[in-house]
Amino acid sequence: MSNESKFKAPSVGLSAFVFLSIVAILIFGIMVLHVDIHVLLIMGLIVTSLVSFKLGYSFDDLVDGMKTSISRAMTAMLIFILIGAIIGKWI
């Protein structure tokens, strides 16, 4: 009963590299280049996607993961939006 996966698990070093790369892109882009945050987030997504492709994930796997994460977080996001609307109405 072998449960072999077609994906390689990222090492701690690789995970730290990706995280620090995204943080560096955001800080450098905002502080030095004064670039819009949306462009920087897309650049971070590109870095993450390239590393994911190296680990064996396909584009469809990444999209499915994003959809799953967004659907899990949607309830909490809607609650925060409603709380913000209520507080905005009071002010």
Side-chain angles (χ1 to χ4, degrees):
M1 205 192 259
S2 163
N3 187 10
E4 292 187 31
S5 176
K6 64 180 180 175
F7 310 119
K8 289 189 255 178
S11 65
V12 173
L14 183 61
S15 299
F17 169 75
V18 171
F19 178 74
L20 293 175
S21 297
I22 294 171
V23 169
I25 288 170
L26 291 173
I27 290 173
F28 184 74
I30 292 170
M31 299 288 200
V32 177
L33 300 176
H34 305 289
V35 178
D36 188 32
I37 188 74
H38 299 96
V39 174
L40 301 172
L41 290 174
I42 290 173
M43 290 174 65
L45 180 64
I46 290 170
V47 170
T48 305
S49 298
L50 291 174
V51 173
S52 298
F53 293 148
K54 179 184 173 239
L55 294 174
Y57 290 90
S58 67
F59 182 74
D60 291 333
D61 295 329
L62 296 178
V63 171
D64 289 340
M66 286 184 249
K67 285 180 184 177
T68 302
S69 298
I70 289 172
S71 67
R72 286 182 187 167
M74 189 58 69
T75 305
M77 285 189 277
L78 288 174
I79 290 171
F80 282 122
I81 290 170
L82 290 173
I83 290 171
I86 291 170
I87 291 173
K89 183 70 175 171
W90 286 341
I91 295 176

